[in-house]
Amino acid sequence: MNEKTIESILKENRSFAPTQNFVKKAKLKESDFQDLRIKAEENYEEYWADLARNNIHWFKDFTETLDSSNAPNYEWFTDGELNVSYNCLDVHASIMPNKKAIIFESEDGELKTFTYKDLLEEVSAFSNGLLKLGVQPMDRVIIYMPMVPEAIIAMQACARIGAVHSVVFGGFSANALRDRINDAGAKIVITADGAYRGGKIIPLKDSTDTALEQDCECIEHVVVLKRTNESIAMDEKRDIWWDRLIHGESKHCDAVSLPSEHPLFILYTSGSTGKPKGIQHSAGGYILHAKLTNQWVFDLKDNDVFWCTADVGWITGHSYVAYGPLAAGATIMIYEGAPTYPHGGRFWEICQKHKVTIFYTAPTAIRALMKLGDELPNAYDLSSIRLLGTVGEPINPEAWIWYHKTIGKEQCPIVDTWWQTETGGIMISPIPSETATKPGSCTIPLPGIFADIIDESGNPVTEAYQGGYLVIKKPWPSMLRTIWGDNDRYVETYWEKFNNEFYVAGDSAHRDKDGYFWILGRIDDVLNVSGHRLGTMEVESALVAHPEIAEAAVVGKPHEIKGEGIFAYVVPKGKRPLGDDAEKMTVILRNWVAEQVGPIAKPDEIRYSDNLPKTRSGKIMRRLLRSIARNEKITQDISTLEDESILEQLQGKD
Ligand code: PRX
């Protein structure tokens, strides 16, 4: 996070108690949460066991709640059996078949709705289609789709038959897709002929073809949804249209009974090495937490229209679009396109049109929309909105206050939810009827989540405002189970630092005098660009893969809208480009990185030098590079610099 933001949140002392009106109408009251907190403290396992029994439909009850015998590979409800799709669809379709499950609006304004009965039938037909292709439990299925109802249908269908999906964000490149296909050893790719975004068409099937040209022998079939009617190549033996696959298929498909620990999905996220990590989640624990947090944090009621703007390519789109709200029987809004297309009021127009009651988005979107001015939101009737949420990065108080005043009209609680791909669901967040909020703080852990801040020796940081490692001290049901295919990396990344005792989130945080948590940012080489995690190494590997580049180092730099921008220092193999040549090279490299990883990884700035600053032992001096990128006074000791003359080049002075 940028220093200015840190500075402003350090000074932040405003507090907003829930309004009486909200408290009066809230579904769950303060006392309900007090009871939950007491129970979680007193008998942790019984607390989770009761929640699991009361909230999930088990085909077979479990006898053991938490198995710690292979810690830190914890297992939850191990001998229980369930089906996630059954819990999201069948349980609701049987009692409220006509309740809307999905309201979909596409970028061009097309509308579609699915009731729970419709959704169950569509998911069942598609499940039968996948079975016809030979998909078996545990087979991996890649979903590389636009943000359309079929993406959710595909995820739910995998869950229904026990296949393990891995959704790859549609904005990722063919190369990124190929790496994920190979790492997961996937058998099927589900994609579309294209996706609409900002008036353009993103050629998903073309990228899939490019990915599959490069050693993806594991893939047997590609299922293609007709979305944009672009002309695309179809390989007769390998590719099949979605419509053709489900043609004549029964709208009934039994949900298979699966062990609680059956992997539900793998979702790749960036770490501090160049290779993304396949975060693996299990069925039972994940769906329990996704459902509960939807109910608790968003005070979900029967008539709510819940809109989480995240794409299903990210964890937020898993837990608060495709799974959690459906498990809770909610009506969700989904929108396919860009937030400001064809005009800056598009989000607010959707809220008005579909009477959205709960709106959950990322600070980067809030900042971008705030910049467009108040006239846009003021032109729409936003009175249906009763609760606002934010996720993905620390929110600066200025954006928080704008969200509170201009969108929430000072009536809606704002839930600032801290969590991660690895945690599966929200961990630290206000409960809207209970917790007073403070702009920029995710407040306090949810009942049953034992978050703490500790110092280098593992002792709790008790001093207010003193930073430390954010850790979770007890396992929780929706925790990641491992990194797909690399359990050593799982243990090393998340547990080893404190003797396998605590889960280490990779964030630093501090607590204020009221015990509220304030997230300060990542402690590893991971950037948070527009709320998306990107490893500096990933961008560096992409840059050095260019034939003309010898070395690269990437650091984060505060960015007004994105939160963090990407600043790259590049050493070319040949002569260092200057003036126009440098500009031309920058265009080439930005496009190159977009091709290698995806447009989100494009560096905002590139600076060329003859060398990178290294210590005598050869380590790149990243802190120095960070200071230079931010135009800060250099306070680092540069006496160990091998070649001091490059300093001017790095500063852009030469
Ligand atoms: O640094 C934290 C930040 O996002 C990271 C997790 O990224 P990802 O796995 O992509 O998941 C994003 C959506 C859950 C965290 O380690 N982060 C997430 N939420 C917040 C946050 N930082 C501050 N405040 C938040 N509410």
Side-chain angles (χ1 to χ4, degrees):
M1 187 178 15
N2 78 53
E3 273 71 24
K4 226 169 106 201
T5 312
I6 293 181
E7 209 177 284
S8 64
I9 65 170
L10 282 174
K11 286 194 212 128
E12 186 56 56
N13 51 21
R14 284 169 286 192
S15 169
F16 296 81
T19 64
Q20 281 198 351
N21 185 36
F22 190 92
V23 173
K24 205 167 71 203
K25 294 188 188 152
K27 187 153 180 181
L28 289 165
K29 309 290 180 201
E30 196 176 354
S31 56
D32 296 316
F33 289 98
Q34 275 163 0
D35 292 347
L36 285 168
R37 288 183 202 281
I38 292 168
K39 176 118 189 244
E41 288 279 351
E42 282 176 0
N43 194 334
Y44 186 68
E45 289 194 26
E46 195 179 287
Y47 164 83
W48 283 116
D50 285 353
L51 287 171
R53 289 206 174 90
N54 295 335
N55 287 282
I56 298 296
H57 179 95
W58 296 91
F59 289 142
K60 181 175 166 263
D61 191 16
F62 53 90
T63 57
E64 190 180 15
T65 304
L66 171 63
D67 179 356
S68 306
S69 54
N70 285 321
N73 291 102
Y74 294 95
E75 295 195 351
W76 285 87
F77 322 121
T78 317
D79 59 347
E81 286 188 19
L82 80 162
N83 184 286
V84 166
S85 166
Y86 187 93
N87 272 279
C88 291
L89 304 176
D90 306 54
V91 291
H92 308 307
S94 62
I95 52 170
M96 46 179 194
N98 298 323
K99 176 163 182 176
K100 281 181 197 160
I102 299 179
I103 304 171
F104 167 63
E105 180 165 328
S106 71
E107 198 173 71
D108 63 6
E110 180 203 346
L111 295 180
K112 253 195 212 171
T113 57
F114 292 77
T115 63
Y116 272 93
K117 178 170 175 283
D118 298 334
L119 193 58
L120 174 59
E121 289 181 355
E122 295 288 333
V123 168
S124 299
F126 193 68
S127 303
N128 286 327
L130 290 178
L131 291 171
K132 192 167 66 182
L133 289 181
V135 179
Q136 311 250 343
M138 276 311 291
D139 280 347
R140 274 81 63 206
V141 173
I142 297 284
I143 299 176
Y144 185 56
M145 298 270 285
M147 189 57 194
V148 291
E150 286 81 358
I152 299 173
I153 291 169
M155 293 163 81
Q156 287 280 346
C158 289
R160 199 163 185 84
I161 62 173
V164 182
H165 64 66
S166 184
V167 184
V168 177
F169 174 54
F172 277 129
S173 67
N175 282 335
L177 175 65
R178 177 205 55 207
D179 291 348
R180 287 156 176 77
I181 290 172
N182 282 332
D183 191 81
K187 198 164 164 179
I188 307 276
V189 178
I190 304 170
T191 187
D193 54 358
Y196 294 107
R197 177 108 192 152
K200 295 198 194 101
I201 288 176
I202 300 173
L204 296 175
K205 174 64 165 64
D206 289 353
S207 299
T208 306
D209 289 342
T210 310
L212 297 186
E213 274 161 21
Q214 315 166 28
D215 319 317
C216 284
E217 271 114 39
C218 48
I219 293 296
E220 292 174 11
H221 293 287
V222 178
V223 181
V224 188
L225 177 76
K226 197 172 257 258
R227 175 82 197 114
T228 57
N229 283 315
E230 286 300 281
S231 114
I232 51 159
M234 289 290 277
D235 174 329
E236 247 178 64
K237 284 210 194 93
R238 188 195 67 190
D239 303 347
I240 178 159
W241 289 104
W242 177 295
D243 279 354
R244 186 88 227 116
L245 182 70
I246 59 169
H247 185 75
E249 285 303 330
S250 160
K251 294 194 159 145
H252 178 87
C253 173
D254 279 335
V256 285
S257 182
L258 296 162
S260 176
E261 280 298 323
H262 186 88
L264 178 64
F265 63 83
I266 304 166
L267 184 61
Y268 285 86
T269 188
S270 298
S272 44
T273 71
K275 190 171 175 271
K277 307 177 275 197
I279 303 299
Q280 184 182 319
H281 281 286
S282 287
Y286 173 81
I287 198 62
L288 172 66
H289 196 73
K291 177 179 178 179
L292 288 176
T293 47
N294 252 277
Q295 292 170 325
W296 292 353
V297 174
F298 300 104
D299 180 43
L300 205 60
K301 296 185 203 165
D302 290 345
N303 52 0
D304 274 319
V305 176
F306 179 78
W307 186 18
C308 164
T309 65
D311 189 281
V312 286
W314 310 108
I315 191 68
T316 312
H318 282 56
S319 306
Y320 301 103
V321 180
Y323 287 116
L326 296 180
T331 299
I332 60 170
M333 173 77 224
I334 65 170
Y335 168 59
E336 176 193 22
T340 50
Y341 188 84
H343 58 81
R346 187 68 193 263
F347 265 17
W348 316 126
E349 186 182 57
I350 293 174
C351 288
Q352 170 183 287
K353 191 179 340 167
H354 301 287
K355 299 204 164 31
V356 170
T357 58
I358 304 170
F359 181 71
Y360 186 35
T361 197
T364 184
I366 299 170
R367 286 191 296 265
L369 294 166
M370 174 173 82
K371 225 178 153 209
L372 301 178
D374 289 1
E375 298 75 30
L376 282 166
N378 287 346
Y380 296 93
D381 176 6
L382 302 180
S383 59
S384 58
I385 300 179
R386 64 182 193 88
L387 180 62
L388 297 169
T390 151
V391 59
E393 47 172 322
I395 180 164
N396 46 315
E398 188 199 356
W400 195 102
I401 294 290
W402 180 81
Y403 202 30
H404 172 67
K405 287 197 173 149
T406 311
I407 308 304
K409 316 292 179 204
E410 299 183 43
Q411 294 304 309
C412 307
I414 297 180
V415 289
D416 178 347
T417 61
W418 177 86
W419 59 295
Q420 309 176 292
T421 305
E422 291 87 341
T423 68
I426 297 169
M427 304 289 278
I428 309 181
S429 163
I431 295 289
S433 60
E434 178 200 47
T435 325
T437 53
K438 299 184 189 185
S441 166
C442 53
T443 75
I444 52 170
L446 293 181
I449 302 301
F450 290 82
D452 203 352
I453 298 169
I454 61 176
D455 65 18
E456 200 63 44
S457 340
N459 299 316
V461 172
T462 46
E463 190 95 350
Y465 306 106
Q466 194 182 321
Y469 295 92
L470 179 61
V471 295
I472 314 292
K473 289 189 151 172
K474 285 187 184 183
W476 66 102
S478 66
M479 64 197 299
L480 78 163
R481 296 306 193 260
T482 187
I483 293 175
W484 179 259
D486 198 348
N487 199 54
D488 288 348
R489 190 174 175 197
Y490 163 73
V491 178
E492 192 188 308
T493 310
Y494 303 107
W495 298 93
E496 254 173 15
K497 177 145 186 81
F498 297 106
N499 297 326
N500 295 356
E501 274 179 66
F502 312 135
Y503 167 82
V504 185
D507 281 348
S508 68
H510 73 241
R511 253 176 306 221
D512 67 16
K513 58 182 185 349
D514 300 323
Y516 275 39
F517 285 67
W518 300 75
I519 307 296
L520 301 172
R522 301 286 309 180
I523 46 176
D524 49 14
D525 289 326
V526 170
L527 307 177
N528 191 331
V529 181
S530 303
H532 300 312
R533 256 156 85 169
L534 261 183
T536 49
M537 285 271 283
E538 257 172 285
V539 187
E540 287 165 7
S541 329
L543 286 166
V544 296
H546 190 278
E548 289 179 38
I549 301 307
E551 270 189 294
V554 165
V555 296
K557 177 180 175 179
H559 187 284
E560 203 189 347
I561 304 288
K562 297 182 186 179
E564 198 162 22
I566 303 175
F567 194 110
Y569 296 89
V570 167
V571 180
K573 280 186 184 152
K575 233 177 122 239
R576 182 166 66 98
L578 297 167
D580 283 355
D581 289 344
E583 269 172 40
K584 274 188 210 142
M585 187 78 195
T586 297
V587 174
I588 293 171
L589 288 181
R590 278 168 49 81
N591 290 336
W592 170 263
V593 173
E595 247 176 63
Q596 298 292 308
V597 186
I600 49 168
K602 274 185 178 182
D604 296 284
E605 284 174 73
I606 301 183
R607 201 161 278 168
Y608 300 92
S609 62
D610 290 325
N611 218 328
L612 290 177
K614 294 195 188 119
T615 58
R616 294 221 166 86
S617 60
K619 269 184 85 177
I620 292 178
M621 300 173 77
R622 281 177 187 282
R623 276 190 43 219
L624 172 68
L625 291 177
R626 223 170 283 142
S627 302
I628 296 175
R630 294 166 192 215
N631 288 329
E632 290 165 355
K633 216 172 127 225
I634 295 170
T635 51
Q636 289 88 359
D637 174 14
I638 49 168
S639 60
T640 54
L641 242 184
E642 233 181 26
D643 176 6
E644 271 188 48
S645 65
I646 57 164
L647 212 57
E648 297 226 313
Q649 294 180 0
L650 298 167
Q651 288 172 317
K653 290 183 187 159
D654 171 31

